[in-house]
Amino acid sequence: MLTRPTVPQGPQGPPQRVPGMVYPPNQPMVFNSANPNAPPIYPCGICHQEVHDNDQAILCESGCNFWFHRTCSGLTEAAYMMLVHEVYAEWVCCKCLATKNIPLVKLKP
């Protein structure tokens, strides 16, 4: 299940990506060569495999804007569920946390 920016279909049903989803900066978009009209593929920031709409995945919203599979990121199921249900929570990957000046707690406007 993907987190923001998504529109959930139910408490644990697969969300749908909304138009305007941001692709990571300085990263060439990846497309399905078998279907050039399909939307771009969003690779996991760790395993580089495609993040599907029905995967449990989370966006590094405060840093690189890559999607990460929950299991690749090391998030437990409980931590993942708390993050995706908390409106004001933003998750950041370990790489961005270590290399960028991102506070552990920040307030959204």
Side-chain angles (χ1 to χ4, degrees):
M1 179 164 29
L2 301 174
T3 61
R4 290 177 306 255
T6 60
V7 178
Q9 292 178 349
Q12 292 188 13
Q16 297 175 347
R17 290 192 180 126
V18 295
M21 186 171 179
V22 178
Y23 210 79
N26 303 321
Q27 174 71 24
M29 292 182 119
V30 179
F31 291 92
N32 180 347
S33 59
N35 184 359
N37 294 326
I41 296 169
Y42 291 86
C44 173
I46 295 175
C47 74
H48 307 290
Q49 298 297 311
E50 182 176 0
V51 175
H52 299 278
D53 286 339
N54 61 346
D55 291 343
Q56 285 189 333
I58 193 159
L59 177 66
C60 179
E61 238 179 316
S62 297
C64 62
N65 284 322
F66 269 97
W67 286 94
F68 292 79
H69 294 111
R70 179 191 64 82
T71 54
C72 293
S73 70
L75 283 172
T76 64
E77 177 93 21
Y80 171 79
M81 295 310 281
M82 285 192 317
L83 281 168
V84 298
H85 288 101
E86 176 51 56
V87 173
Y88 296 106
E90 283 189 14
W91 181 80
V92 62
C93 70
C94 294
K95 181 178 177 185
C96 288
L97 193 58
T99 61
K100 297 179 180 178
N101 189 20
I102 299 173
L104 289 177
V105 177
K106 76 177 194 180
L107 300 175
K108 282 189 170 183

